[in-house]
Amino acid sequence: MIRQIMKNEWTLLSREKILYLALPIYLVMLIYGIMNGTEWKTFLYDNSIEAREMADKVFQSKRDTLDKILAGKLKYSYAEDPRLPAQLARYKGYEMATKPPAPTAAISIGQSDVVPSYVKVQWKPMFKQANTDEIENPRNLAVGTFDLSFVLIYLYPLLIIALSYNVLSSEREQGTQVLLLSQPVSVRQFVLGKILLRGSLIIGTAVVVSLFGLIVANPDILSAGYAWRIAMMAVILALYGTFWFGLAVLVNALGKKSSTNALIMMAAWIGLVLVLPAALNLAAKTLYPLPSRIAMVQALRKGDEQATKESKFSRAYRADLLRAGEEAALKASNTDFYLKVLPLEQQAEKIAQPIFDEFENQRQAQQTLAERLKYLSPAAVTQIAFNELADSSAGSFNNFNQQVEAYHDVWRQYFLKPVQENRVLTKDELWNIPRFQYQPESGSTIFGRIFGDVLALLIFAGAMLVIGFRLLRNYSGAAR
Amino acid sequence: MIWTIAKKELTEIRRDGRFLWTSLIIVALLFIALGVGAQRYAADRDLRIEASQEDRDSWLNQGDKGPHAAAHYGVYGFKPATPLALFDPGLNDYTGTLQYLEAHKENQAAFKPAADATALARFGDLSGAMVLQLLVPLLIILLCFGMISGEREDGTFRQLMSMGVPRTKLVWGKALGVTGAIAIVLVPGILIAGVLAAILAGNNDPHEMIDFQGKLLVVALAYVAYFAIFVCVALAISIRSRSSGAALTTLVGFWIVTGLLVPRIGADISKAVYPTPSAFEVEASIQKGRDAGIHAHEPNHPNHIAFKNKMLKKYNVTRIEDLPYSFQGLALEADEEHGFKVFDQNYGRVRELYAEQDKVQQVLSVLSPAVAIEGLSEALSGTDVDFANDFSNAAEAYRRNMVRILNADIMQGGKGMTQYSAEWGYRANKSLWSKVPPFDFDPPGLSTILGRNLVSILVLLAWLVGSIFWLTWSARRIKIDM
């Protein structure tokens, strides 16, 4: 029976002009979104490779210099000895910690256009490191990207609304409802048939085009074993679409005029996709305001002043040494100076630490609140889930930054030891400086994070359908 | 006649529950947005003023040290804001908040708030500007979509015509009624919220108040024009649509295309025409440029040696200790001057690129009044790219002045010393630090802003004039039956 209804519906729908206008636009946008995301992923990938190579080159040049010195091919100068540990750790050497994009990065650009995917690591605290932000025009960042997740979250519901806001009300307005009710078909069966047809058309297109397009543009999704992520994406976008279809059933079951239905659906779209997420963002920012970065800068400066005072160490130290003669002063100050300065800097950072901790705590609290508040809007849930699948979420970058901080400690410890022992690096040590290796979060971690999202969308979609069809049971057919 | 019609429409609108609820929501959002905006603005401003003061104190009391060490200690420039930013935060989440000013390097403003935000932030900032740019047009659409098509559907249009009501007068009366309804909601709402925000924001630095009244007036006029465009377009579409449903669909489509799609596609087009280089490319190009400099800190570098020989020859001496200025000072200064050129070239190109991209988007606002009002509103609120660039340029000019003063002091004070002694043995004190003036930044004035956004202004005006003509033209040709 349902099949028969769907078949009849298809005959009707296939004669609608809007279908032939909207579907091609929809297809083009899906493909455009995938292309945009893939292009961005390539950009991130190239950058991460280049960044890493840049650091490789620096390390290699130090090794080459040492080789030349040891082979007697280069005039030795103490100041340019590549083995000086403090100098290498502070400014002559650096590591580029990179976060290469996930194979699925094209799903959603997410936070990856505002948080850098590679950072320079040296001795100085990561906070003081010159930023490696992309230099994208702020206007372009603010406007937002036209990626697959934009098409799916903003535009896909609009198409659903356009094709389903009047599934039942139009029958009444065209006068075909009486005919319909006289058939041995219940209203619910009839609506189910109509929705199933439209659903398989729109959701089906979204699923097929997204999966196929992503795989064709990013074959590494399959080879890297990320297929489950795009399968999850398909599930999520199907549930998100089902929610909007469910809403259409519910609104139609209220038995109002088509134009009223359209208004209600548009209001729901504006509320859930545009206004609510922005309002939730405002709530999270207001309830857990982050300490300003300005305050952190000031805290570090004050920490530095206090630590200097406490240590009674004078930075004019080298001037005093000069009395012993320049060469001696150079050597002594380069070793002894840093022996005193490095712990001093660590002490200064320790003094400033509370505000950094507060920042981190507030950020965590804000993030946690946002994670809870998102459940009020299916659009927010979907966006965050897509970001997780693309490894472009705030959480993913947070994890990267924690890995960088851990590596930063390794970097410091590695060079601090020879400074404390008042010696230059051995050849072995220069060759074996530990490198940063990004560990992407495991599949099970990501799955754990989006599990709640999938569940929430399931509830959203289910609730709409159940309430909608329940209301339809009492559908009287008279306009209200 | 127009007034009678307007009065009748106004009464009808006032009795409509939909209008009441929608406008209540909009006013409530406006209050929340402006209230929170004002609080954040005031907190940020107080912190900035305090930090600038502290930073200045740190600079003055950094103790006796070599001038070059002081240049490395550096100063922070904090990006200011003008009070209208509490209404339109614009691009503030996407531009850096502070710029570290130190020797050798033109740092870019760092710490965009967006990088620390949650994913929700990308859905947009609920600000006064968002309410006016996106939600008020929806209210207008809601009021207007059925104004003529509805009369036709109800059969009242035929009656009106039989009574001899001129079509244009009917339409303008309706337009006036809608305008009155919007004004009744928005004018008191904005006034009360604005006064509240002003009280919350408190006192402002006179710098931040430059041309404030003028900017406020132009912002207000721009939004009035923007709303008028929507009233005209909505009524014209109501006239030309087969049914109210069709009018609503077309109008919502117009709103989505102009408010959501055109800005994003515009950004993509501008990037396709003028591709933004990666930070990497720019950094590499700067490295390459700076590598051609004299490497002031590397005495064995060929460029350094060449520079030394040049100086020795120029002053006709054989030892650097015999030069009339400290060689260390000369080398540092020459290296900085070389760096300035390299930075100007590279970052200058990036800024030109932004300007070109913005121009493309401004031209594309021909397709969308939303793009035009966004750009204009941000510019007047001091939250656009130009403002961020003005700040960065001022900060960089300050940095250059600072390193020049410090290097000039080494050139004099380190005279007769070896390079090492000049760097580490020579010390300056507070009297030198106070020769570097405190950082000061004047936001651009009204005329500068208007000049920069001429395209947006013209496009907005063209939309206004065009939509008025379109409405008049459509009004004369209203069909009694579609």
Side-chain angles (χ1 to χ4, degrees):
Chain A
M1 180 58 76
I2 298 281
R3 246 166 132 192
Q4 190 58 43
I5 297 171
M6 283 171 73
K7 223 171 127 192
N8 290 341
E9 262 306 297
W10 172 243
T11 320
L12 287 172
L13 196 62
S14 62
R15 289 189 169 77
E16 292 264 6
K17 243 187 1 205
I18 178 169
L19 197 67
Y20 298 99
L21 187 71
L23 266 189
I25 296 179
Y26 174 52
L27 273 176
V28 167
M29 286 184 170
L30 283 171
I31 293 169
Y32 181 64
I34 293 172
M35 280 166 45
N36 251 345
T38 308
E39 199 184 318
W40 177 251
K41 175 191 153 193
T42 312
F43 177 81
L44 289 181
Y45 181 78
D46 292 348
N47 278 344
S48 72
I49 298 289
E50 273 186 69
R52 177 104 189 160
E53 281 174 358
M54 205 163 126
D56 289 346
K57 255 188 230 157
V58 172
F59 286 120
Q60 196 51 50
S61 81
K62 303 298 168 214
R63 291 170 195 157
D64 291 347
T65 313
L66 182 62
D67 278 343
K68 279 186 204 155
I69 288 174
L70 294 180
K73 282 183 198 156
L74 200 73
K75 192 184 138 213
Y76 181 79
S77 123
Y78 178 83
E80 283 164 48
D81 189 334
R83 290 168 301 181
L84 300 178
Q87 283 84 337
L88 195 57
R90 288 168 77 85
Y91 56 92
K92 289 195 170 168
Y94 58 82
E95 167 67 312
M96 282 288 189
T98 60
K99 177 184 191 294
T104 46
I107 295 174
S108 171
I109 291 173
Q111 289 290 90
S112 67
D113 58 347
V114 286
V115 190
S117 290
Y118 57 89
V119 287
K120 204 174 190 178
V121 181
Q122 287 175 312
W123 177 273
K124 65 173 98 169
M126 290 312 296
F127 175 77
K128 282 177 89 174
Q129 187 59 258
N131 76 72
T132 46
D133 290 2
E134 283 307 326
I135 48 172
E136 187 56 86
N137 188 339
R139 177 178 305 283
N140 296 345
L141 291 176
V143 163
T145 45
F146 206 119
D147 57 356
L148 182 60
S149 73
F150 168 71
V151 178
L152 291 175
I153 288 164
Y154 287 77
L155 308 180
Y156 161 72
L158 286 174
L159 185 65
I160 296 177
I161 294 173
L163 286 182
S164 61
Y165 74 96
N166 61 354
V167 276
L168 201 50
S169 51
S170 66
E171 298 283 342
R172 195 177 51 238
E173 283 154 18
Q174 290 162 9
T176 43
Q177 184 173 261
V178 194
L179 267 172
L180 185 79
L181 295 174
S182 67
Q183 301 293 314
V185 188
S186 72
V187 178
R188 297 162 73 190
Q189 274 174 317
F190 177 71
V191 171
L192 185 65
K194 283 189 134 191
I195 290 293
L196 273 180
L197 175 79
R198 287 167 168 77
S200 42
L201 192 67
I202 303 177
I203 299 181
T205 310
V207 169
V208 171
V209 174
S210 303
L211 290 188
F212 191 71
L214 279 171
I215 290 173
V216 169
N218 307 271
D220 49 336
I221 291 179
L222 296 185
S223 57
Y226 273 53
W228 73 271
R229 293 211 195 192
I230 52 170
M232 277 317 277
M233 185 201 75
V235 170
I236 288 167
L237 80 88
L239 286 174
Y240 183 58
T242 309
F243 163 77
W244 288 101
F245 275 115
L247 188 67
V249 173
L250 195 156
V251 170
N252 270 280
L254 298 175
K256 295 189 187 297
K257 284 194 296 188
S258 289
S259 59
T260 312
N261 287 357
L263 270 182
I264 298 176
M265 300 277 303
M266 274 316 297
W269 182 84
I270 290 159
L272 293 177
V273 180
L274 286 187
V275 179
L276 196 57
L280 298 180
N281 173 40
L282 193 72
K285 275 203 309 200
T286 313
L287 291 175
Y288 297 103
L290 298 180
S292 167
R293 294 293 197 173
I294 295 175
M296 295 163 84
V297 165
Q298 289 313 106
L300 270 178
R301 287 222 143 163
K302 275 186 214 151
D304 189 52
E305 278 163 26
Q306 195 184 327
T308 310
K309 228 177 266 164
E310 283 168 6
S311 74
K312 299 201 176 71
F313 171 71
S314 160
R315 282 182 188 260
Y317 165 82
R318 297 199 220 208
D320 301 333
L321 281 178
L322 272 175
R323 265 168 269 148
E326 244 175 53
E327 257 321 288
L330 178 67
K331 228 172 212 175
S333 71
N334 269 340
T335 49
D336 199 40
F337 178 73
Y338 287 118
L339 186 57
K340 286 178 176 131
V341 161
L342 298 191
L344 182 76
E345 286 175 347
Q346 284 177 319
Q347 178 59 24
E349 287 163 34
K350 220 164 133 191
I351 296 170
Q353 194 56 37
I355 188 145
F356 285 82
D357 290 342
E358 193 201 337
F359 186 89
E360 206 37 55
N361 288 340
Q362 288 291 91
R363 208 163 60 101
Q364 285 297 346
Q366 205 183 76
Q367 210 78 41
T368 313
L369 183 70
E371 283 288 321
R372 289 201 191 121
L373 290 177
K374 75 178 177 189
Y375 291 119
L376 293 171
S377 157
V381 171
T382 307
Q383 177 72 69
I384 290 174
F386 282 170
N387 290 354
E388 293 291 355
L389 291 172
D391 270 359
S392 63
S393 66
S396 180
F397 277 95
N398 207 11
N399 174 278
F400 168 61
N401 285 327
Q402 279 167 4
Q403 290 184 31
V404 173
E405 284 293 348
Y407 172 75
H408 182 240
D409 273 348
V410 171
W411 177 273
R412 280 188 164 186
Q413 289 312 318
Y414 193 79
F415 293 103
L416 187 60
K417 204 167 145 249
V419 170
Q420 283 169 338
E421 289 166 5
N422 205 351
R423 63 176 174 83
V424 295
L425 294 171
T426 63
K427 187 178 174 184
D428 242 19
E429 280 172 325
L430 186 65
W431 251 251
N432 294 313
I433 296 168
R435 299 294 301 266
F436 177 82
Q437 194 59 53
Y438 174 61
Q439 293 295 338
E441 289 175 290
S442 71
S444 56
T445 313
I446 301 291
F447 187 80
R449 277 211 218 122
I450 61 167
F451 183 71
D453 301 339
V454 175
L455 209 64
L457 286 172
L458 199 65
I459 293 171
F460 266 120
M464 289 300 129
L465 286 175
V466 168
I467 300 172
F469 278 99
R470 207 158 253 279
L471 282 174
L472 274 183
R473 191 185 285 172
N474 307 322
Y475 184 75
S476 67
R480 260 170 274 181
Chain B
M1 169 101 65
I2 291 182
W3 287 107
T4 323
I5 297 166
K7 235 162 87 188
K8 173 250 163 195
E9 287 299 332
L10 198 57
T11 319
E12 214 165 81
I13 291 169
R14 279 216 325 263
R15 289 185 187 150
D16 186 351
R18 283 187 310 207
F19 171 71
L20 186 73
W21 283 109
T22 321
S23 44
L24 270 181
I25 292 173
I26 286 180
V27 170
L29 288 175
L30 199 61
F31 267 83
I32 295 172
L34 286 183
V36 173
Q39 226 171 6
R40 294 187 66 83
Y41 169 77
D44 284 353
R45 180 202 51 213
D46 294 346
L47 189 71
R48 193 173 59 238
I49 290 172
E50 190 192 349
S52 311
Q53 200 56 55
E54 280 181 7
D55 198 59
R56 180 70 187 163
D57 290 346
S58 301
W59 170 259
L60 290 177
N61 300 314
Q62 59 182 318
D64 297 358
K65 61 171 81 157
H68 189 61
H72 273 288
Y73 182 72
V75 166
Y76 283 92
F78 304 107
K79 189 179 73 191
T82 58
L84 272 174
L86 71 88
F87 157 73
D88 188 353
L91 309 179
N92 267 359
D93 272 357
Y94 300 92
T95 51
T97 43
L98 55 94
Q99 196 160 324
Y100 181 36
L101 313 173
E102 60 171 339
H104 306 305
K105 232 178 130 354
E106 173 172 350
N107 289 309
Q108 299 298 289
F111 303 118
K112 332 179 152 72
D116 295 321
T118 67
L120 291 176
R122 302 313 286 277
F123 280 94
D125 216 353
L126 183 64
S127 64
M130 180 197 178
V131 173
L132 296 193
Q133 284 165 14
L134 278 180
L135 302 185
V136 173
L138 275 174
L139 183 66
I140 294 174
I141 290 174
L142 188 70
L143 291 179
C144 292
F145 78 94
M147 284 233 152
I148 305 293
S149 53
E151 299 263 13
R152 242 185 335 239
E153 281 160 347
D154 296 344
T156 43
F157 191 66
R158 196 174 280 276
Q159 285 175 4
L160 279 172
M161 289 299 106
S162 70
M163 282 158 65
V165 182
R167 293 169 198 221
T168 36
K169 284 203 175 157
L170 174 71
V171 169
W172 285 113
K174 282 177 181 272
L176 202 63
V178 174
T179 311
I182 300 284
I184 286 176
V185 175
L186 282 187
V187 172
I190 289 176
L191 281 182
I192 298 172
V195 169
L196 214 70
I199 293 169
L200 277 173
N203 290 327
N204 277 298
D205 194 272
H207 283 280
E208 286 150 14
M209 300 302 283
I210 292 176
D211 289 344
F212 178 69
Q213 283 89 349
K215 289 175 185 172
L216 195 63
L217 181 73
V218 179
V219 161
L221 286 176
Y223 277 99
V224 168
Y226 179 64
F227 298 151
I229 292 167
F230 264 90
V231 171
C232 292
V233 168
L235 281 174
I237 286 177
S238 181
I239 290 172
R240 306 176 79 87
S241 291
R242 214 163 3 102
S243 65
S244 296
L248 181 65
T249 316
T250 316
L251 283 168
V252 171
F254 174 75
W255 177 81
I256 289 168
V257 170
T258 56
L260 273 183
L261 290 186
V262 174
R264 285 187 196 233
I265 294 174
D268 279 0
I269 292 175
S270 75
K271 272 193 282 187
V273 181
Y274 297 104
T276 318
S278 71
F280 227 93
E281 276 170 58
V282 176
E283 182 60 32
S285 164
I286 289 173
Q287 284 289 350
K288 207 174 142 206
R290 295 214 39 216
D291 215 45
I294 58 157
H295 296 253
H297 290 304
E298 291 163 74
N300 287 337
H301 195 281
N303 296 4
H304 188 103
I305 296 169
F307 179 74
K308 187 160 82 181
N309 291 335
K310 196 175 131 197
M311 287 299 120
L312 294 177
K313 208 173 148 201
K314 183 177 171 190
Y315 293 103
N316 205 12
V317 289
T318 48
R319 296 185 327 144
I320 58 172
E321 288 91 323
D322 300 332
L323 287 167
Y325 303 105
S326 148
F327 177 71
Q328 179 68 6
L330 286 171
L332 283 170
E333 180 57 18
D335 195 38
E336 288 286 357
E337 295 293 336
H338 173 77
F340 297 163
K341 276 187 216 131
V342 174
F343 291 125
D344 281 345
Q345 237 169 39
N346 287 281
Y347 290 129
R349 215 170 48 216
V350 170
R351 280 175 203 136
E352 267 166 38
L353 193 81
Y354 286 177
E356 298 288 358
Q357 290 182 342
D358 282 359
K359 221 177 274 166
V360 171
Q361 296 186 33
Q362 281 194 359
V363 169
L364 279 169
S365 62
V366 168
L367 298 174
S368 157
V371 174
I373 189 78
E374 257 172 50
L376 198 55
S377 172
E378 281 162 10
L380 289 159
S381 305
T383 54
D384 63 340
V385 178
D386 287 331
F387 186 94
N389 278 347
D390 286 347
F391 162 71
S392 281
N393 289 337
E396 176 61 10
Y398 177 85
R399 181 185 84 86
R400 293 180 182 188
N401 181 44
M402 173 181 86
V403 294
R404 279 181 183 138
I405 291 175
L406 297 175
N407 286 339
D409 188 72
I410 303 179
M411 279 158 65
Q412 288 302 332
K415 198 161 77 177
M417 293 186 187
T418 63
Q419 250 180 301
Y420 186 80
S421 299
E423 181 163 6
W424 297 109
Y426 169 64
R427 279 192 260 170
N429 55 34
K430 198 169 176 177
S431 72
L432 176 62
W433 315 147
S434 53
K435 272 189 203 158
V436 179
F439 178 60
D440 183 25
F441 170 68
D442 278 349
L446 183 60
S447 54
T448 315
I449 293 175
L450 294 181
R452 280 171 178 169
N453 292 277
L454 218 53
V455 177
S456 294
I457 296 171
L458 289 177
V459 167
L460 207 59
L461 279 176
W463 266 95
L464 181 64
V465 174
S467 61
I468 290 174
F469 272 116
W470 194 42
L471 179 60
T472 324
W473 191 76
S474 305
R476 289 208 194 106
R477 285 165 186 72
I478 306 179
K479 287 187 195 147
I480 294 178
D481 296 303
M482 276 310 255

